Amino acid sequence: MTDFLVIVALAALGAAVVGLPAAPAVRALRRRSVALSLFAVAALAVAAMAAGTVAVAQAMFLSGHDLGVVMAVVAVSGVVSLAAALLFGRRIAAGSRELARSARTVGSEGGFVAPGEPPTAELAALSRALEETSGRLAEARERERALDASRRELIAGISHDLRTPLAGLRAMAEALEDGVAEDTARYHARMRVEVDRLAAMVDDLFELSRIQAGALALTLSRVSVYDLVDDALAGARPLARASGVRLVDGGVVPLPVRVDAQQITRVLGNLLVNAIRATPEDGTVAVSAYRAEGRVVLAVEDGCGGIPAADLARVFDTGWRGGPARTPRAGGADGGGGAGLGLAIVRGIAEAHEGRATVRNTGAGCRFEVELPEAGPARAG
Ligand SMILES: Nc1ncnc2c1ncn2[C@@H]1O[C@H](COP(=O)(O)OP(=O)(O)OP(=O)(O)O)[C@@H](O)[C@H]1O
Ligand SMILES: [Mg+2]
């Protein structure tokens, strides 16, 4: 037993005598190629083994012949392990180089092209991570592109919408200036309507840009949805009357909500104007408010005949508007179809309140719902 311990101690000593001075060299190679590092580690292992063997052989007074045999075995296995380390290291280095080349394709048009088969699990994981990053980048770029396109479309649409009333205003102003307008009072009234429309459009644009910039400052207060609906209905009644559409109470439960009353009145106003515009004469638009799953739901249901399924997902998009066939009152009682901003504002305001806005067809028409969080119990005082 003691003999055995002595052998172990001698082998360790021999290995330490060679290994300790070599350790800094291995450390210095840390930042060099992995092939070189592997080779150095294998060389260190072989040298330590040889030194340990020599130390043990000396102490045990092994014959020169026996030592020669042992050293020959050590030398052969050393050569084999060094060759294996070199080969393996070169494979890892080549795999790393290939992955580095592939990594340059992250963010390119074609996307990341993963190398054939990475030589180690770590490189394979890195390759997968790069693939995921590349996928996310492509998605972000696609979103950016879509956003850019819709922004361009919106600007084109708005410019067109602004140009039409402006041209009308200029024509009317010129007619008044030249004294060729017969019914000047009618001209003035018409100009007033156009200016109001322009102002409303600019106001919507401003509101939307604030919402999209996240700069909408809400003034929250505890109000009853009953009052909110009442205010919105009062605002929509003249348009409904002029359009021959009945506004009906579909059941409004007086639930408390903590919202920016002005903004939610605007939401309801936008929904009501849309519903009235989309409903044919003699049709009805119903407003309701109720509690569902701990949320307060405000719903506006119209008689538009349904929105085509393909359009349902787009109605809330900024600047999107349906064709004239679906808006019976375009150019009618309220001075025509809008700029496609109303529902984007509805959704933006709902989301700013941590709520959401949705739409679905109901058969005779469609139903827009705005979900808001219910106000907690009133605080005393
Ligand atoms: N209640 C509804 N019934 C049927 N279609 C609707 C209804 N509300 C909106 N839509 C369709 O969705 C489109 C987008 O509505 P949105 O309110 O965003 O814009 P708009 O009413 O056209 O213009 P704006 O609201 O800016 O004056 C409308 O053009 C219309 O085609
Ligand atoms: Mg609208």
Side-chain angles (χ1 to χ4, degrees):
M1 189 63 194
T2 21
D3 275 359
F4 183 70
L5 286 180
V6 169
I7 289 174
V8 170
L10 284 171
L13 190 71
V17 167
V18 173
L20 284 181
V26 172
R27 215 174 34 240
L29 288 176
R30 229 175 14 186
R31 291 186 180 283
R32 307 296 293 271
S33 157
V34 66
L36 204 58
S37 291
L38 270 180
F39 186 79
V41 169
L44 177 61
V46 170
M49 192 160 62
T53 309
V54 169
V56 173
Q58 292 294 321
M60 291 170 68
F61 308 108
L62 240 57
S63 71
H65 172 261
D66 288 356
L67 181 60
V69 170
V70 174
M71 290 314 285
V73 172
V74 169
V76 170
S77 59
V79 168
V80 170
S81 42
L82 285 178
L86 203 61
L87 274 178
F88 190 54
R90 283 173 58 141
R91 245 187 71 208
I92 296 181
S96 302
R97 272 197 302 277
E98 203 184 339
L99 188 57
R101 252 197 315 279
S102 295
R104 287 195 196 101
T105 60
V106 171
S108 67
E109 271 302 318
F112 176 68
V113 185
E117 214 173 287
T120 67
E122 287 80 3
L123 289 179
L126 185 57
S127 170
R128 275 196 302 279
L130 283 172
E131 204 162 6
E132 278 165 27
T133 307
S134 171
R136 273 201 300 277
L137 253 172
E139 270 169 34
R141 187 182 300 135
E142 199 43 53
R143 261 202 309 276
E144 176 98 1
R145 222 175 260 155
L147 209 64
D148 207 42
S150 83
R151 214 172 276 147
R152 264 202 305 273
E153 223 171 83
L154 177 69
I155 291 175
I158 295 287
S159 321
H160 176 263
D161 288 344
L162 291 175
R163 203 181 303 137
T164 314
L166 281 173
L169 278 173
R170 164 178 284 161
M172 287 187 274
E174 280 171 0
L176 287 171
E177 210 173 26
D178 299 345
V180 295
E182 280 166 19
D183 188 351
T184 54
R186 210 173 61 89
Y187 269 67
H188 284 134
R190 191 72 221 147
M191 287 170 84
R192 176 64 199 262
V193 168
E194 293 292 355
V195 169
D196 283 350
R197 242 179 85 190
L198 282 173
M201 205 183 289
V202 171
D203 189 44
D204 276 355
L205 270 177
F206 184 62
E207 178 83 0
L208 200 60
S209 75
R210 277 201 312 168
I211 291 172
Q212 290 180 345
L216 187 67
L218 299 177
T219 314
L220 298 177
S221 62
R222 193 185 161 86
V223 284
S224 163
V225 287
Y226 192 89
D227 296 334
L228 296 174
V229 170
D230 210 40
D231 282 352
L233 284 177
R237 226 160 250 133
L239 175 62
R241 204 171 301 126
S243 312
V245 170
R246 278 188 308 280
L247 283 181
V248 302
D249 180 343
V252 178
V253 183
L255 298 162
V257 279
R258 219 179 127 67
V259 295
D260 186 321
Q262 204 183 342
Q263 297 291 354
I264 298 298
T265 306
R266 178 175 202 142
V267 163
L268 284 169
N270 283 358
L271 292 180
L272 282 169
V273 169
N274 281 350
I276 295 167
R277 267 192 205 154
T279 303
E281 215 168 325
D282 270 346
T284 55
V285 168
V287 187
S288 50
Y290 52 94
R291 180 191 286 130
E293 292 164 16
R295 315 267 280 174
V296 173
V297 181
L298 303 173
V300 176
E301 194 167 329
D302 65 21
C304 68
I307 297 174
D311 293 347
L312 272 179
R314 303 195 57 200
V315 290
F316 288 100
D317 289 357
T318 305
W320 189 85
R321 49 195 153 179
R326 290 190 299 283
T327 47
R329 231 165 299 286
D334 60 340
L341 305 176
L343 288 177
I345 292 175
V346 165
R347 175 161 276 179
I349 293 176
E351 286 173 359
H353 281 83
E354 281 158 29
R356 61 193 195 119
T358 54
V359 60
R360 64 186 152 89
N361 284 326
T362 55
C366 55
R367 181 181 176 93
F368 283 84
E369 289 184 357
V370 173
E371 253 183 54
L372 298 170
E374 195 177 354
R379 264 168 287 168

